[in-house]
Amino acid sequence: MTTHHIEMATLLRKCCGLMQLVHRRTFAYKPVKRPSLIKEGGKSSRSEPNAESLDLATILQTKIKAAGPISLADYMRNVLTNPNGGYYMERDVFGEGGDFITSPEVAQIFGELIAVWCLTEWRKIGSPSPVQLIELGPGRGTLSRDILRVFSQFKLGDQFSLHLVEVSPYLSKVQAQQLCFNHSEVDPESNEPFYRQGETVSGAKVFWYHKLEDVPKEFSIVLAHEFFDALPVHKMQYDKGLWREVMVDVDPSEEKKFRFVLSNNQTVMSKVFQPLEGESRETLEYSLEADAIIQRLAHWFEFHGGFALIIDYGHLGDKSDTFRAFKQHKLHDPLLNPGAADLTADVDFKRLKFVAEANGCLTFGPVSQQEFLKRMEAEARLKVLLEKAQPEAHEALKSGYDMLTHPDKMGSRFKFLSIFPQVLKEHLKKFPVNGFS
Ligand SMILES: C[S@@+](CC[C@H](N)C(=O)[O-])C[C@H]1O[C@@H](n2cnc3c(N)ncnc32)[C@H](O)[C@@H]1O
């Protein structure tokens, strides 16, 4: 055992000793891409899209009729984040009454182990201060809440500030209610880069931004859980020696329905798209936004310091057709009634690694969620939680753990990738990044 393994073990032990069961999260998991959590015979409590979200189909159809088919990335961006009826913009889409469940929502052990990982890696490099915790796409704010709770148990609550990059005004309010004892919107006329601010009970300051670019350039630990899969992708097709783009057009056969068409001419994207060396797929999904964010992080870590943990479902550059929609925990037609269902595409981890490394960073992983959590001693943590919990809570704890780690459930589908600056190369050889080896 190295000193840092001992340190992690100590952190875990302390964390186990200090933590209580905060809440029970009882969900069933079905081994589909995202599980169905609706009870048999039960109904989702989620309301149907309102008139505004129905308008989104009309807006997109009008645009296409006027100017021709749009890229899948344009379609996806509008469907998810258009202020006028975009999927994430005005409702809570998570959990039993929503469309899907994510790991932080399944069980608190997930966020707690991520917190221990952040602390171990931060301490390993000398606890640089001040430090910002940045979460991209925080959903309900559950992961950040579980992490801050661990930080405050280590009396670190006020050493960290929390910076949330969230496009949805509705979800930013949900996050503020989860995380802060006071919070307020910031006057858009002010020159502040953030649009909301607040403070947690342990004194940590919290800020909300529309874009990563707006976050202050300080040493940062960056987390992205199920964020990259929500970024728009272009659908590319190799045809007669050229890359062409598959576009989204109006489907005249049905109201609010769209269809894929192959672009007649090369689009701007198909001209600038650079496949990785050795690419053998004839169709693939490409996210320019994911590339840009990784590039930004790489430069950030080089000039201001920090590291990142990216957690998502994805592949190693070998899948072609993963774009899909989920509604009430079931697969849904992604080209029907935009705004009514979540759109997602598997993350291309090979590409993320390539971009990070090409921009001077070190990458570790991806490793499966099962491997990562096992190496973070999730089982020991579960044991302590079971010892402390009332017998009636045991079933929920065990099933949450099983859902997170079982290879047929979330254990192998979800992957962890970490990014560190090149300058730490020798240090990390001596003290390897936890969870990855
Ligand atoms: C699939 S949810 C994941 C939520 C959370 N991380 C979790 O795992 O429970 C995606 C989150 O990213 C946000 N989001 C989607 N696209 C975004 C964008 N372009 N910029 C910032 N946030 C975005 C959504 O509003 C939502 O909070």
Side-chain angles (χ1 to χ4, degrees):
M1 245 194 187
T2 65
T3 336
H4 290 286
H5 280 109
I6 294 167
E7 158 128 70
M8 192 184 88
T10 317
L11 279 174
L12 268 167
R13 246 196 328 278
K14 261 180 134 181
C15 171
C16 292
L18 284 163
M19 275 193 235
Q20 321 113 11
L21 285 173
V22 177
H23 40 223
R24 272 199 259 149
R25 298 168 196 174
T26 49
F27 297 106
Y29 180 91
K30 286 192 182 165
V32 289
K33 286 171 180 161
R34 273 179 175 157
S36 169
L37 301 169
I38 307 298
K39 290 190 193 98
E40 244 172 71
K43 281 202 174 140
S44 163
S45 60
R46 195 186 123 210
S47 56
E48 281 302 298
N50 62 22
E52 279 185 337
S53 69
L54 295 178
D55 281 348
L56 189 53
T58 314
I59 293 167
L60 291 173
Q61 294 200 335
T62 309
K63 182 175 166 180
I64 292 170
K65 282 177 192 160
I70 56 175
S71 69
L72 177 58
D74 196 2
Y75 177 80
M76 204 170 160
R77 185 179 305 108
N78 271 287
V79 173
L80 294 181
T81 62
N82 188 311
N84 193 1
Y87 175 74
Y88 282 117
M89 301 309 270
E90 51 194 30
R91 61 188 166 216
D92 186 349
V93 296
F94 305 92
E96 196 167 2
D99 294 316
F100 55 88
I101 179 91
T102 62
S103 294
E105 301 291 335
V106 168
Q108 67 186 74
I109 194 171
F110 184 83
E112 291 166 359
L113 292 172
I114 304 282
V116 171
W117 184 86
C118 293
L119 285 182
T120 317
E121 296 309 315
W122 175 63
R123 288 186 170 175
K124 194 191 280 180
I125 53 176
S127 314
S129 184
V131 55
Q132 303 184 142
L133 181 68
I134 302 177
E135 188 182 352
L136 307 178
R140 276 182 178 163
T142 308
L143 178 61
S144 281
R145 189 192 59 186
D146 288 344
I147 290 175
L148 286 191
R149 194 178 59 253
V150 174
F151 287 4
S152 71
Q153 282 160 346
F154 286 99
K155 309 269 179 286
L156 293 168
D158 54 356
Q159 281 199 41
F160 281 77
S161 52
L162 179 62
H163 302 260
L164 302 174
V165 178
E166 175 54 74
V167 73
S168 162
Y170 178 86
L171 287 174
S172 76
K173 266 187 227 146
V174 174
Q175 293 150 16
Q177 280 155 10
Q178 278 243 47
L179 290 159
C180 299
F181 84 92
N182 70 40
H183 56 89
S184 57
E185 275 179 44
V186 174
D187 179 358
E189 297 299 309
S190 76
N191 278 333
E192 298 295 0
F194 45 87
Y195 63 88
R196 181 182 292 284
Q197 63 183 327
E199 193 172 348
T200 67
V201 275
S202 58
K205 300 265 189 278
V206 189
F207 303 91
W208 280 261
Y209 309 82
H210 295 293
K211 305 182 294 293
L212 178 62
E213 300 78 302
D214 296 335
V215 182
K217 304 291 176 292
E218 299 277 359
F219 181 93
S220 300
I221 302 174
V222 182
L223 299 173
H225 185 270
E226 285 211 39
F227 169 74
F228 279 88
D229 74 87
L231 295 181
V233 290
H234 292 264
K235 200 169 168 60
M236 311 303 296
Q237 188 163 316
Y238 197 63
D239 185 50
K240 301 188 191 91
L242 282 181
W243 282 101
R244 293 173 72 190
E245 193 168 356
V246 177
M247 311 292 277
V248 176
D249 197 0
V250 173
D251 184 341
S253 70
E254 199 181 330
E255 212 193 336
K256 300 186 195 309
K257 178 97 171 78
F258 296 78
R259 63 178 178 184
F260 284 128
V261 291
L262 190 61
S263 61
N264 290 331
N265 303 311
Q266 272 207 296
T267 58
V268 175
M269 179 50 67
S270 58
K271 284 184 193 155
V272 300
F273 171 64
Q274 300 269 345
L276 298 189
E277 219 178 289
E279 180 58 69
S280 59
R281 289 172 295 174
E282 291 191 341
T283 56
L284 56 85
E285 291 150 346
Y286 166 63
S287 176
L288 179 68
E289 285 187 30
D291 272 16
I293 290 173
I294 296 293
Q295 205 170 4
R296 186 171 292 282
L297 289 179
H299 292 164
W300 187 309
F301 298 159
E302 185 183 353
F303 293 107
H304 312 284
F307 53 88
L309 186 62
I310 295 169
I311 308 155
D312 226 307
Y313 39 80
H315 57 85
L316 285 173
D318 50 2
K319 290 217 178 133
S320 294
D321 192 11
T322 69
F323 171 66
R324 59 199 183 280
F326 283 90
K327 188 171 183 210
Q328 295 174 354
H329 306 273
K330 296 204 173 86
L331 280 167
H332 179 80
D333 182 346
L335 298 181
L336 180 66
N337 199 4
D342 182 26
L343 298 185
T344 178
D346 279 14
V347 173
D348 184 343
F349 279 103
K350 184 175 178 188
R351 180 130 197 146
L352 298 194
K353 268 175 91 71
F354 172 82
V355 176
E357 288 170 10
N359 286 280
C361 272
L362 307 168
T363 65
F364 301 92
V367 299
S368 70
Q369 177 155 305
Q370 181 195 29
E371 282 173 274
F372 181 88
L373 293 180
K374 191 170 165 218
R375 289 176 185 148
M376 291 301 297
E377 299 180 25
E379 217 174 315
R381 168 86 189 110
L382 173 70
K383 219 168 138 212
V384 176
L385 283 176
L386 286 170
E387 277 161 19
K388 291 181 176 294
Q390 298 296 322
E392 59 272 21
H394 283 198
E395 192 43 46
L397 283 170
K398 285 189 206 154
S399 72
Y401 177 84
D402 182 59
M403 198 192 289
L404 292 175
T405 55
H406 197 289
D408 293 340
K409 297 177 183 169
M410 290 164 139
S412 64
R413 182 152 176 65
F414 284 84
K415 297 182 175 57
F416 284 60
L417 173 74
S418 65
I419 304 178
F420 284 78
Q422 188 68 235
V423 70
L424 293 176
K425 189 171 180 178
E426 292 312 312
H427 189 68
L428 295 177
K429 262 189 205 159
K430 267 196 227 148
F431 308 112
V433 179
N434 279 295
F436 290 88
S437 57

